[in-house]
Amino acid sequence: MKKIISLVLALSLLLTMAVAVAEGMTAGGDVDAWTAKVTKTAGEDVELTADVIVVGAGGAGLAAASAAGEAGASVIVVEKAAAVGDNTILSDGIFNTEAKSFILEDGRVVGVNAVKSDGTKVTLHANKGVVLATGGFAGNVEMVVEYNTYWPDLTLEAKSDNTATATGDGIRMAIEIGANTVGMGFAQMLPTCTALDGQAGKGVGSQLYVNKEGLRYVNGEAKVADSVAKGYAFVGDTLEEAAEKAGIDAQQLVKTVEAFNSYVENECDPDFGRYGFMGKVEEGPFMIVAMAPALHHTMGGVEINTEAQVIHTDGHAIAGLYAAGEVCGGIHAGNRLGGNAITDIIVFGRIAGANAAAGK
């Protein structure tokens, strides 16, 4: 029976709350018991079969599961993380389980070998097809640097704003069975992330971007981090005080802010053409947050055709294997335009799911 994932999520939340309450009662309010490290032990091997196995429960994976379910196929979604990435139709789900390799028979992908977070071995058999939707690898700085051909100064010190599970596992799995890759050297960096942890800036207001000389260098309509001082945020009652703490030219910063405030008043920015103003920067305390580019999206991945079939290095479609989303390469060329990935995951996710259900 098809299940609406929003309902599944709601039930999962209630179950989580119930388990938490039960554990709290068992712990008797003991903080040490609540925070004690849990030792996981592998259980008995798990072996399941469905028409379609979808690897990855992000937008592309759930779009694929939805389309396959609508076509009448039974579906199992396997996800490394503990939660799904969107609302859609889902037949079944196995979470905290990492896919490790594909099962091949006579050159056709017929299943997936996986392992639960506790070490339990999971074998998933696909009657019709497997959809690879594990996302990109911007969360794996080592892998980005390994393939990088675009950023001359990119090092292992780079930060990422991605989830920790975006490590390129699916791409590696596909390469192991001969899948071709496209555009692996292209990675997109988001310029307005916190220098400490790479997370994208949050909050919109009367902010402006300046360099160490206290000069604006960009339009500045992007979001800025609403952060707490952790060695990368500097607060002062005056601009001069904040600037000195941040190592910015205080005199120039004051001049820059005065000029910016005049642009706000006139609703005209002759320097960079900014048109969105929330108000002047004039009342303290003032916060200066160190920002730096961070890895945001990888354009490279496995090659697919218009049927979302994964292509082998010799040019033929790998039977039984489909892919959608950021795990695929060549869709966005060298630089993804903001928002286009949403269309990508829905369109190719549904194509992949429908074709997998049909066993093409």
Side-chain angles (χ1 to χ4, degrees), residues 50-69 74-80 89-95 97 99 102 112 124-126 129-134 322 324 349 352-354 356-357:
D51 293 331
V52 176
I53 306 299
V54 177
V55 185
L62 295 184
S66 173
S74 58
V75 183
I76 292 176
V77 178
V78 57
E79 169 57 46
K80 180 167 65 172
I89 300 170
L90 180 64
S91 296
D92 203 351
I94 303 176
F95 304 106
T97 303
F102 293 114
V112 175
L124 303 171
H125 301 284
V130 174
V131 177
L132 183 63
T134 49
Y322 309 82

Side-chain angles (χ1 to χ4, degrees), residues 34-45:
W34 270 81
T35 58
K37 184 177 180 179
V38 177
T39 301
K40 296 182 178 181
T41 304
E44 294 184 5
D45 291 355

Side-chain angles (χ1 to χ4, degrees), residues 113-139:
N113 293 309
V115 178
K116 288 187 176 183
S117 59
D118 63 6
T120 300
K121 179 182 176 182
V122 179
T123 304
L124 303 171
H125 301 284
N127 293 328
K128 296 183 177 181
V130 174
V131 177
L132 183 63
T134 49
F137 54 100

